[in-house]
């Protein structure tokens, strides 16, 4: 049965046997027990679980109507796909809330993953000479959302891990075990509710760990793509710098041999200006000399900018060193043997 109630906070925590700080809204995640009540905070979602009912506080501001009236009621009634349908009510309530939280985190990851992959595919294209600033802005926003998701997953895992490390906390979460004698008899006859609760928490801890691994892979992919983008930009920058250097060398070559034209352009008389062929000769020398110097400078530039070749390793050195050591040892033994035989023969 699903219904809505409106009460003052003072009346509510007195009726539940809680304190005022237990119903205080805090944007964090925690699972705690007090006075046979389970208080679950999932950031904006806050719930109080008892052996008889599940109380969701202030659901109108969280847009939870669809989940509360269409999914949660059937899950608590055992009609859903919850693993704990045969266990007491608090098990189903805890699993329903954890499943809702994991589904929200999974939905955020499913929304971010295609956007990040599409943006990275457009940014790492080697054909692009410049980076689209709009794509970088989208990648920055997606990276920020991914960081928030990683933080939420980390908090979720730490909260569950704190409970798994304490057996007393796991026992306190089994409310019906201490209030219903029949449930306690069933637990002593073979159904250990503490183990069931531990398995339940471990299951959602593994799911959160899987989501964290997927988010971590996306983060590594973003970092690798950023490195590729920087490499592409550096490569294009190096090409432009090399082109600028080549043009500077060409300008230097023309200026160097342009001094000949400057010399002939002075208002000084000589016998060379009377020859009609001297103009074409000097012009040809200027262009030919400029081309040769430019070619020489380009070859010099190419030798100094090309990466050095790896040193050549002879085929003899590629053999294993222990074999050479054994050969040398055998030769020494042969030499010592020959020396002993010669000395023996001399003594005789």
């Amino acid at each position: 049965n699903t219904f809505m109630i409106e009460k003052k906070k003072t009346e509510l925590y007195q009726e539940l046997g809680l304190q005022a700080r237990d119903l205080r809204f805090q944007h964090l995640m925690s699972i705690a027990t007090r006075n046979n009540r389970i208080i679950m905070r999932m950031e904006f979602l806050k719930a109080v679980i008892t052996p008889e009912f599940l109380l969701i506080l202030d659901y109108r501001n969280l847009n939870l109507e669809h989940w509360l009236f269409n999914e949660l009621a059937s899950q608590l009634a055992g009609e859903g796909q919850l693993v704990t349908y045969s266990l007491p009510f608090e098990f189903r309530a805890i699993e329903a809330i954890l499943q809702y939280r994991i589904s929200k985190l999974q939905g955020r990851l499913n929304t971010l993953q295609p956007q990040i992959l599409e943006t990275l595919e457009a940014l790492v294209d080697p054909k692009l000479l410049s980076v689209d600033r709009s794509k970088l802005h989208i990648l920055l926003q997606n990276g920020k959302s991914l960081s928030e998701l990683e933080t939420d997953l980390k908090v979720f895992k730490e909260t569950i891990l704190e409970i798994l490390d304490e057996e007393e906390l796991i026992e306190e979460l089994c409310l019906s075990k201490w209030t219903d004698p029949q449930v306690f008899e069933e637990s002593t006859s073979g159904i250990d509710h503490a183990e069931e609760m531990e398995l339940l928490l471990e299951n959602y801890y593994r799911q959160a760990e899987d989501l964290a691994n997927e988010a971590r892979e996306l983060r590594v992919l973003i970092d690798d793509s950023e490195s590729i983008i920087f490499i592409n930009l550096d490569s294009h920058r190096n090409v432009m710098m090399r082109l600028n250097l080549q043009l500077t060398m060409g300008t230097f070559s023309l200026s160097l041999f342009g001094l000949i034209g400057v010399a002939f352009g002075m208002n000084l008389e000589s016998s060379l200006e009377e020859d009609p062929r001297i103009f074409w000769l000097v012009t040809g020398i200027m262009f030919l000399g400029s081309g040769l110097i430019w070619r020489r400078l380009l070859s010099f530039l190419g030798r100094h900018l090309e990466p050095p070749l790896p040193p050549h390793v002879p085929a003899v050195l590629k053999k294993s060193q222990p074999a050479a050591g054994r050969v040398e040892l055998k030769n020494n033994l042969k030499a010592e043997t020959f020396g002993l035989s010669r000395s023996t023969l001399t003594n005789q």
Side-chain angles (χ1 to χ4, degrees), residues 20 31 33 79 90 119 162 196 203 214 216 223-224 226 249 253 284 289 330 334 338:
I31 303 175
T33 58
E79 300 174 0
E90 66 270 11
T119 306
E162 288 178 359
E196 295 291 338
N203 179 29
E214 294 181 11
R216 195 177 301 112
D223 296 338
D224 294 342
E226 288 179 353
M249 290 179 176
S253 302
K330 291 179 179 180
K334 289 181 179 180
F338 293 153

Side-chain angles (χ1 to χ4, degrees), residues 62 74 114 273:
L62 304 178
S74 61
E273 64 268 8

Side-chain angles (χ1 to χ4, degrees), residues 190-235:
I191 302 175
D192 192 348
H193 288 84
E195 292 183 359
E196 295 291 338
M197 182 64 70
E198 185 177 0
L199 293 175
L200 173 64
L201 296 177
E202 286 182 351
N203 179 29
Y204 285 95
Y205 179 83
R206 287 194 299 269
Q207 294 185 26
E209 183 67 26
D210 294 339
L211 293 179
N213 291 333
E214 294 181 11
R216 195 177 301 112
E217 291 177 358
L218 278 179
R219 175 64 61 187
V220 173
L221 186 61
I222 290 176
D223 296 338
D224 294 342
S225 301
E226 288 179 353
S227 301
I228 294 175
I229 292 171
F230 291 147
I231 290 173
N232 289 335
L233 291 177
D234 291 339
S235 177

Side-chain angles (χ1 to χ4, degrees), residues 43-285:
E43 286 192 352
F44 299 100
L45 174 63
K46 186 172 183 179
V48 178
I49 302 174
T50 68
E52 295 82 17
F53 61 86
L54 167 63
L55 179 63
I56 306 294
L57 302 178
D58 198 13
Y59 70 93
R60 292 180 177 178
N61 298 333
L62 304 178
N63 299 321
L64 298 176
E65 287 82 359
H66 177 75
W67 175 63
L68 285 175
F69 298 101
N70 297 333
E71 299 178 7
L72 181 60
S74 61
Q75 289 177 346
L76 296 179
E79 300 174 0
Q81 298 179 353
L82 296 182
V83 182
T84 56
Y85 67 93
S86 60
L87 294 173
F89 178 80
E90 66 270 11
F91 285 81
R92 284 173 280 166
I94 292 175
E95 184 176 6
I97 295 177
L98 292 178
Q99 188 179 41
Y100 172 77
R101 180 60 178 169
I102 284 292
S103 64
K104 286 296 181 181
L105 296 174
Q106 179 72 53
R108 290 167 58 184
L109 181 61
N110 293 337
T111 303
L112 284 174
Q113 189 172 13
Q115 295 178 359
I116 292 175
L117 294 178
E118 182 181 358
T119 306
L120 292 178
E121 185 177 359
L123 286 175
V124 299
D125 190 359
K127 298 180 181 179
L128 298 177
L129 298 179
S130 61
V131 180
D132 191 356
R133 300 178 66 90
S134 61
K135 296 291 184 181
L136 285 177
H137 182 66
I138 295 174
L139 183 62
L140 179 62
Q141 292 179 344
N142 292 333
K144 187 182 298 183
S145 301
L146 184 62
S147 299
E148 295 176 357
L149 177 61
E150 289 177 340
T151 303
D152 294 340
L153 288 170
K154 181 180 178 181
V155 173
F156 185 88
K157 293 192 302 179
E158 289 178 352
T159 303
I160 295 181
L161 192 60
E162 288 178 359
I163 300 175
L164 292 175
D165 292 339
E166 298 292 337
E167 295 183 2
E168 296 180 356
L169 296 179
I170 298 177
E171 292 282 350
E172 291 176 359
L173 292 178
C174 305
L175 303 179
S176 300
K177 184 177 180 179
W178 310 107
T179 57
D180 191 352
Q182 182 179 359
V183 173
F184 183 77
E185 292 177 359
E186 291 179 356
S187 63
T188 55
S189 62
I191 302 175
D192 192 348
H193 288 84
E195 292 183 359
E196 295 291 338
M197 182 64 70
E198 185 177 0
L199 293 175
L200 173 64
L201 296 177
E202 286 182 351
N203 179 29
Y204 285 95
Y205 179 83
R206 287 194 299 269
Q207 294 185 26
E209 183 67 26
D210 294 339
L211 293 179
N213 291 333
E214 294 181 11
R216 195 177 301 112
E217 291 177 358
L218 278 179
R219 175 64 61 187
V220 173
L221 186 61
I222 290 176
D223 296 338
D224 294 342
S225 301
E226 288 179 353
S227 301
I228 294 175
I229 292 171
F230 291 147
I231 290 173
N232 289 335
L233 291 177
D234 291 339
S235 177
H236 294 309
R237 190 182 299 112
N238 292 336
V239 170
M240 298 303 296
M241 292 177 62
R242 184 163 186 168
L243 178 61
N244 186 20
L245 185 58
Q246 291 175 355
L247 293 177
T248 303
M249 290 179 176
T251 305
F252 170 75
S253 302
L254 289 175
S255 301
L256 182 63
F257 277 86
L259 295 176
I260 300 177
V262 173
F264 279 92
M266 292 188 298
N267 295 326
L268 298 176
E269 295 182 358
S270 63
S271 59
L272 296 177
E273 64 268 8
E274 297 177 358
D275 192 348
R277 296 173 299 178
I278 198 66
F279 172 77
W280 301 108
L281 180 62
V282 173
T283 304
I285 292 174

